[in-house]
Amino acid sequence: MTILKILTYPDQTLRRPTSELDNIDGDVQQMIDQMSETMYDAPGVGLAAIQVGWDKSVLIYDIAAADQDRSLQVLINPRIVDQEGEILSEDEGCLSVPEFRADVKRYSSILVKGVDREGRPIELEAEGMLAIVLQHEIDHLKGKLFIDHVSALKRQLYTRRMKKKLRSK
Ligand code: NI
């Protein structure tokens, strides 16, 4: 098992926009396996490649409940092609933004297009929890973090807290 290091705020790599993946080879499959081991170990419900320093448009997620079987989903080169409505994502969090949670406004329904890990086209209609997770992970692929959706003041306070913590290490 390989657990990759998850980059955390304010690491600037997290701000790097990712590029599309056009060749899904064995190395990519191996990287996806390592991402999934890392996500389950954390544990988290979603992980974008850039969070482990890989600047490709790849995300994984599993929103199965704790008492259900694992259901790993892989989405490559995803893009939101349609969106509507509004939902408040309560207490949203991120493995790359430790010790911070906030309510975030998200679209309640989205339509996502991309390809799966075999390169087959996928079209996904998502609502509720799944829509929130996908918007969060697709943001990562553009170098955006959920903390960018909260007020500048909250973000400043958090940044100060994290810098202090880094200094005291
Ligand atoms: Ni995240």
Side-chain angles (χ1 to χ4, degrees):
M1 213 162 91
T2 308
I3 306 301
L4 304 167
K5 181 178 152 47
I6 297 176
L7 303 176
T8 54
Y9 183 88
D11 193 313
Q12 286 306 301
T13 303
L14 292 167
R15 296 305 190 180
R16 202 185 292 166
T18 59
S19 55
E20 289 211 342
L21 199 65
D22 33 43
N23 185 22
I24 307 172
D25 58 14
D27 287 347
V28 167
Q29 300 294 351
Q30 192 186 4
M31 196 62 191
I32 290 169
D33 288 340
Q34 293 180 357
M35 278 176 66
S36 78
E37 285 160 8
T38 304
M39 178 182 78
Y40 286 120
D41 176 73
V45 294
L47 190 71
I50 196 66
Q51 291 181 271
V52 292
W54 188 31
D55 59 352
K56 292 292 173 200
S57 184
V58 177
L59 65 86
I60 62 170
Y61 61 94
D62 184 346
I63 58 164
D67 59 349
Q68 285 179 316
D69 289 339
R70 281 182 179 178
S71 171
L72 181 72
Q73 307 294 323
V74 178
L75 205 46
I76 297 173
N77 304 337
R79 59 186 202 285
I80 297 173
V81 294
D82 203 5
Q83 61 216 3
E84 63 173 34
E86 196 180 288
I87 189 173
L88 190 66
S89 160
E90 287 175 40
D91 224 20
E92 194 168 316
C94 176
L95 296 173
S96 291
V97 188
E99 296 166 47
F100 186 81
R101 302 194 82 87
D103 295 352
V104 179
K105 254 189 234 165
R106 298 286 190 186
Y107 293 108
S108 56
S109 315
I110 55 171
L111 179 64
V112 178
K113 284 187 181 176
V115 298
D116 68 12
R117 72 184 292 175
E118 274 79 44
R120 290 173 302 220
I122 310 184
E123 198 175 294
L124 206 64
E125 276 174 53
E127 289 186 317
M129 170 74 172
L130 180 57
I132 290 168
V133 170
L134 289 174
Q135 286 168 84
H136 179 117
E137 301 309 330
I138 290 171
D139 268 359
H140 272 302
L141 301 178
K142 298 174 186 160
K144 195 164 180 180
L145 298 172
F146 90 109
I147 198 166
D148 303 340
H149 293 280
V150 306
S151 73
L153 176 65
K154 273 192 194 157
R155 197 162 49 243
Q156 250 171 44
L157 290 172
Y158 176 70
T159 306
R160 214 171 292 162
R161 180 149 64 88
M162 289 314 277
K163 284 190 175 154
K164 204 182 274 177
K165 212 179 149 180
L166 282 174
R167 272 198 303 270
S168 68
K169 262 184 190 168

